[in-house]
Amino acid sequence: MTKLVQLLFEGVSVGCLYALVALGFVAIYRASRVINFAQGSLLLLGAYLISYMVIDKSVPWFLAAAIGVAAMVMVGVLFQVFVLRRVTGQPVFTVVMITIGLNIAITALVPAIFGVNQRPDGTGDPIGTGELTVGGVVFTWVNIWSIIVTAIVLAGFFCFDRFSRYGLATRATSVDEEAALAVGIPVRRVNALSWGLAAGIATIAGIFLTAFPRGLDPTTGDIALAAFPAIIIGGLESPLGAVIGGLTIGIVELLTQGYESNIPALGHNFYTIAPYVVMIAVLLIRPYGLFGQRPVERI
Amino acid sequence: MATPSVAAEPVRSGVRGRVRAIRLGTWLTLPVLAVGLVLPFFLDDFWISTLVFVLIGAIGGLGLNVLTGYTGQVSLGQAFFLGVGAYTAAVLGQDHGVNALLWIPAAGLVAALLGGLIGPTALRLRGLYLAIVTIGLVFIGQHIFVNLESVSGGSQGRAIPQPAFLGLDFSSDQNSILGIGFNRDGLYYYLSLFILALAMIFVRNLTRTRTGRALQAVRDREVAAALMGVDLARAKVGAFVISSFLAGVAGALYGAFLTHVDPLQFNLLLSIQYVAIIIVGGVGTVWGALLGAIFIEGLQPVLERYSDSIPLLQHSAGEGGIAVGDATDIIFGVLIVLFLVVEPRGLIGIGARARALAIRTRVARSRQAASGLEEKA
Amino acid sequence: MSITAKPGTPLLEVRGLELRFGALTAFTDVGFHVDEGELFAVIGPNGAGKTSLFNVLSRIYRPTRGTVHYRGVDMATMKVAGLAEAGIARTLQNLGLFANLTVLDNVLIGRHHLLRSGPLRGGIWVGPARAEERPARAAAMEALKFAGIADRAGEWVATLPYGVRKRVELARALAMEPSLLLLDEPVAGMSAAERKEVTTLVERIHRERGLGIVLVEHDMGMVMQVAQRILVLDFGRAIALGTPEAIQRDDGVIRAYLGEPLGLEAAG
């Protein structure tokens, strides 16, 4: 029983981080109708920036984190301004491939700049290795803070989305870009903002993903691939779906990891593909995810 | 008043130039084939073996072009079918002693069969949802490969048999045909060239006939295609079958040339490489796969070969510069972005633009000449 | 499998047809018939349900009630992909052309249901595929000639002006060798000159090919000129059915298009 609770807690914790990454995807999808395959590399770059500042340059952690997140927001905005604006009107596949190209380039650039060595302290070990034990279940502070910070970011995002002018503008743009343009919404600024936001959220997720015991190395960006099932399950344009999808994936992953030895037929490390299997199962029933919407085509 | 003796050609739009450029492909075929046939005699082994990877990449890329370029089904799953091809070759060729003349097409057929089973997912899923499911296919495929140790050798990998037929032994460097000596690289080169040529002819023919048009109709406007009587299910599944067949054959050749494969090689990056090949070369064209493969497959070998003369480039990480592997990836990524932003139609599109420009220049000059003549009249 | 009917059976027979989307009714209780070789028009103000009706006739939507019979055969079992072979061709309001193909290839796709080669024969080319391509191309060029755009056969559709694209669509429909042609707003968005040209073309198609045509249109001039009988829809209901002369005099039609007379006028 304690094992189950333990797995559930860890699943929720990592699920929260998946939810953050997924939220970044959704923010961009709503703005540009594109899945940003570079999300993982943005996460990676952000984490390395902070790590470099803290470990190599002895910058105080909070300052480094603030600078890192702000810098990555700028990177997101710059990418939208200098690359994506040139390809408006191109088919979705084209833009997706551009983000894939960006992902490959940035992911290779990071070790080129910062070296290939593992950084076991992640972004500077901000939380430490402490933990609480309650009733046989271990709650690491890293996991606890992951959940708390995710909740804060999510709350912030939802407030922004529902109650702010730019949030409304973003929603309007995602429904009908031409109409938004027609009523004077600064669509380009809205899009740039969404990209900046996504990059910033990814960096925050990166901070917790590289904390003890996972560490930071050039493959950390691969986590984004694990977040794909989250956005697909939740539906590409639904922030709520992203959260539910992320949590689902996290829990599925941890539960399968914990119990897969009971079913040897699934193979070693089945938990790495369990999210994808769940995703395919969901899509068979609902081809646009749980909360996604069928695009409307005028005949 | 004399009439101008220079007949002015009607000005063709850049797009018409594009149509011409693609038909130009048929005129280029013979010279290119001739060059391809004699090239190995002028190159050293390093380049020949690079070209083998190029040709194999072109075969797989051609298949992907049928699925994504002509039929519009975005797929990042090519790596899975390559793996299926390689392992089919291994099981039939090594475990069961089947001849390569059988296991090469068999690799294609087994992959095609799986493609036919997976194809129906494209009926329910569109665009990005389909793309991500194909990514899932690669991961699930890797998982299955790793766990099927009897087939794949687990994470250690396994050897792939070397073809042997018609008196030729692909494991040896001492073959001769008509008195000319061929080493291993040379044999693989001609085998791949032959298969690629057949594949390109097949796909080219498809585009001039009912099936090719139907596939492109599905890509451009599904509803209208259905109104014309196109069976959408058959078209999409058919595209998957053709595409997977070529991927399977490419996978078998790839594995055989490498002599050893492990499941980690059939990963997402491999799929992305194939997508990059068709993007850089030209999506939805016959020659695009070969052109793109030259760029993409040639990139890393070239960088490795000349890493000493390129500043900042080192053979491996930690020597103060950028590792060749990382540099390849960076350039690779930048190339993709650049091509898509500047010329989404790839090298073929650039070729068409160049040709249209040449026509416009020619027409402008002839018009100048004509008006010059008129003045003198 | 093309469908031939006993003599006397109407080409198209619609009875009690209704289409609902949840609480929204696109149209209800629509009934009419079209004889072989007749040119029949469906008109009505915007939102009257005309394109929805077409979408039901071309099996893109399933009706919630009612039947459609084509040459006596109930269309309920037909799928969209089966229409071409049955002999029904439909043009789309937003132009269903294939943007990345040439004009000729677009029209050739119209021959799809009349050709037989699949991927294998097509890929091999020599043999049955090549043999059927030649007459197919000839037929496609013929259709283009009929539409007056044979000189544009090699051009890319994406670069063509709107008027030319409409003609390509018509040529493509002709190449399908249909017995029933469903034209969805053939002169929408055209200049006066273009409208005249396309109207003439539609008349020629009707006269020289003897097809049954059902036409959805806004342009009264065109409709009154070419149609033999007209159905008028308003807010999803049929309010009049008859010859152009009868329709022009019908009170209900006048009310639908021009509105109720003002109280002042009625009193005066």
Side-chain angles (χ1 to χ4, degrees), chain A residues 90 97 101 266-268 276 284-285, chain B residues 124 136 143 147 275 279 333 344:
Chain A
Q90 294 281 4
M97 271 312 288
L266 290 174
H268 295 301
Y276 277 92
L284 287 177
I285 309 168
Chain B
R124 244 166 106 69
H143 177 82
N147 283 283
V275 177
I279 287 179

Side-chain angles (χ1 to χ4, degrees), chain A residues 29 33-35 37 79 82-83 86-87 90 92-102 104-109 111-112 116 225-226 228-229 231-232 235-237 266-273 276-277 279-280 283-289 292-295 297-299, chain B residues 68-69 74-76 121 124-137 139-144 146-147 149 221-224 227 268-269 272-273 275-276 278-279 283 317-318 321-323 325-334 336-338 340-344:
Chain A
Y29 184 81
R33 286 268 161 269
V34 156
I35 291 186
F37 274 69
F79 182 64
F82 285 109
V83 179
R86 286 177 210 281
V87 292
Q90 294 281 4
V92 168
F93 171 55
T94 302
V95 187
V96 165
M97 271 312 288
I98 289 179
T99 63
I100 290 181
L102 184 73
I104 293 172
I106 294 182
T107 306
L109 200 61
V116 288
L225 292 171
F228 280 152
I231 50 168
I232 296 291
L236 289 171
E237 60 265 300
L266 290 174
H268 295 301
N269 296 335
F270 177 73
Y271 74 90
T272 51
I273 59 163
Y276 277 92
V277 174
M279 173 190 88
I280 292 177
L283 283 177
L284 287 177
I285 309 168
R286 297 196 46 115
Y288 294 96
Q293 291 187 328
R294 194 155 193 244
E297 188 200 348
R298 291 219 92 217
I299 309 269
Chain B
T68 302
V74 178
S75 168
L76 284 164
T121 53
R124 244 166 106 69
L125 302 170
R126 296 290 145 85
L128 293 172
Y129 291 94
L130 178 62
I132 297 204
V133 166
T134 58
I135 292 178
L137 184 64
F139 290 144
I140 294 175
Q142 277 190 296
H143 177 82
I144 295 176
V146 165
N147 283 283
E149 287 186 12
R221 198 93 200 271
E222 265 187 41
V223 173
L227 285 171
L268 186 58
L269 193 61
I272 292 176
Q273 246 177 299
V275 177
I278 62 173
I279 287 179
V283 179
I322 305 179
D326 288 335
T328 310
D329 284 348
I330 295 174
I331 297 178
F332 180 50
V334 171
I336 294 177
V337 175
L338 226 55
L340 286 172
V341 171
V342 171
E343 180 52 272

Side-chain angles (χ1 to χ4, degrees), chain B residues 30-44 48 51 55 180 182 186 189-190 193:
Chain B
L30 281 173
V32 168
L33 189 61
V35 167
L37 281 172
V38 299
L39 209 49
F41 293 101
F42 299 98
L43 299 173
D44 65 35
I48 298 179
L51 283 176
L55 293 171
I180 313 172
F182 286 84
Y189 175 88
Y190 285 108
L193 185 64

